[in-house]
Amino acid sequence: MTEQPRSSDRLKNELLEIALEAATQAGSFLRDARPEDLGVAATKSSAIDVVTEMDIAAEKLITGLISDRRPDDGLLGEEGASVEGSSGVEWVIDPIDGTVNYLYGLPSWAISIAARMDGETLVGVVHAPMRGEIFRAVLGEGAFVNDRAARVRPASELGLALVSTGFGYLAERKAQQAEVARLLIPEVRDIRRGGSAAIDLCDVAAGRLDAYYERGLNPWDYAAGDLIAREAGALTGGRPGEPLSPALTVAATPGLFAQLQARLDELGAWHD
Ligand code: LIP
């Protein structure tokens, strides 16, 4: 098979089709096959950083489908998938973003799948099965939630902004994150804490939040949602002048982004 030109439309369409198929299949499995007595299969950075058997099974389903379709692609998954690949395309996968919500039976969780080439995200899909929503974006082609175009809210005053954030799994980091939130809350409309970074980024894209920020995310948490938010008109980044990273992820409608980013920097949202 001759390799398609890098990031050609045909390649992007193929990657989107695979991401949608994998996210949809994983979503049906996670929604319909969730055991009533679901428990914790393992923990990672702390006793509250949990993995369930469903996280592991969903990642195997997703990586198996991708590898069948594109055996030479690289894979990076939250639950251990790690394949170098030779095609230049790398898949970045969070089989359940919002694992704690899923464990407790709360509806706010999602499958997040992104395809990157040379470090640039070409395709992003976030599927929130309990909401009946699939968010998708192809680089340069806009963002959608189901069949509707996604666009950010036209906000510009921090004092009127609805801002989402999240907290990590280590007590020391949570204490600093809580301090940042304590100082920010009086300066914005309100704070939300949904428990899934991918959904928060997509809610910025859909105009349901004015902004989102969090420290300590992994690429699989934000890769797809970052592209979806940007293609919906949001600005994203980390500290001022820096790209988003595990140090800090900020996404906001353009009228708020620089002001919020600067304020978060002053409050120390980028360090423990
Ligand atoms: C989650 C993130 C969320 C964060 C949680 C956790 P996971 O990812 O989506 O924003 O606040 O602490 O990191 O672990 O459910 O894939």
Side-chain angles (χ1 to χ4, degrees):
M1 175 184 82
T2 53
E3 185 51 55
Q4 295 148 3
R6 300 178 86 78
S7 72
S8 68
D9 286 350
R10 192 166 142 228
L11 174 63
K12 288 188 280 189
N13 289 337
E14 181 193 5
L15 298 177
L16 176 63
E17 182 189 327
I18 291 169
L20 287 169
E21 184 178 355
T24 303
Q25 286 195 21
S28 299
F29 165 68
L30 289 164
R31 182 192 60 226
D32 302 336
R34 182 185 180 281
E36 281 298 317
D37 61 349
L38 182 64
V40 174
T43 59
K44 295 185 278 191
S45 62
S46 73
I48 56 172
D49 185 0
V50 298
V51 184
T52 74
E53 67 189 64
M54 299 299 278
D55 292 81
I56 297 165
E59 184 163 298
K60 284 182 180 165
L61 185 160
I62 294 165
T63 56
L65 186 152
I66 291 171
S67 300
D68 285 347
R69 301 285 195 292
R70 293 184 55 88
D72 298 328
D73 288 1
L75 298 168
L76 173 65
E78 177 170 18
E79 307 316 339
S82 179
V83 173
E84 185 67 28
S86 58
S87 69
V89 173
E90 179 188 42
W91 295 86
V92 186
I93 301 156
D94 192 341
I96 306 178
D97 188 60
T99 294
V100 173
N101 285 344
Y102 184 79
L103 175 67
Y104 276 72
L106 292 169
S108 193
W109 53 270
I111 299 96
S112 179
I113 300 174
R116 300 192 296 200
M117 177 172 273
D118 302 330
E120 181 168 52
T121 305
L122 301 180
V123 165
V125 169
V126 174
H127 179 24
M130 305 311 283
R131 285 185 172 187
E133 291 184 326
I134 296 179
F135 298 84
R136 71 184 193 279
V138 173
L139 180 63
E141 298 181 19
F144 298 85
V145 45
N146 293 348
D147 294 329
R148 300 188 315 276
R151 290 303 298 172
V152 295
R153 288 180 84 83
S156 60
E157 286 185 61
L158 198 56
L160 298 178
L162 187 62
V163 181
S164 181
T165 190
F167 304 98
Y169 292 118
L170 298 174
E172 181 187 345
R173 171 165 291 179
K174 285 196 281 187
Q176 168 64 4
Q177 290 173 321
E179 179 62 11
V180 171
R182 180 185 74 82
L183 294 168
L184 188 67
I185 284 174
E187 301 176 5
V188 298
R189 179 190 299 272
D190 205 346
I191 290 280
R192 293 288 184 270
R193 197 293 194 249
S196 165
I199 290 179
D200 286 333
L201 287 163
C202 289
D203 279 342
V204 171
R208 298 168 183 159
L209 291 169
D210 296 305
Y212 163 69
Y213 75 92
E214 186 164 354
R215 170 174 169 71
L217 297 178
N218 289 295
W220 44 75
D221 296 316
Y222 60 68
D226 168 44
L227 177 66
I228 292 164
R230 287 186 282 114
E231 287 295 322
L235 297 179
T236 67
R239 297 190 69 186
E242 294 180 10
L244 78 173
S245 74
L248 183 64
T249 295
V250 184
T253 188
L256 288 175
F257 181 75
Q259 187 182 352
L260 176 64
Q261 195 181 39
R263 186 62 179 135
L264 289 170
D265 211 59
E266 289 170 356
L267 295 177
W270 49 277
H271 65 75
D272 293 342

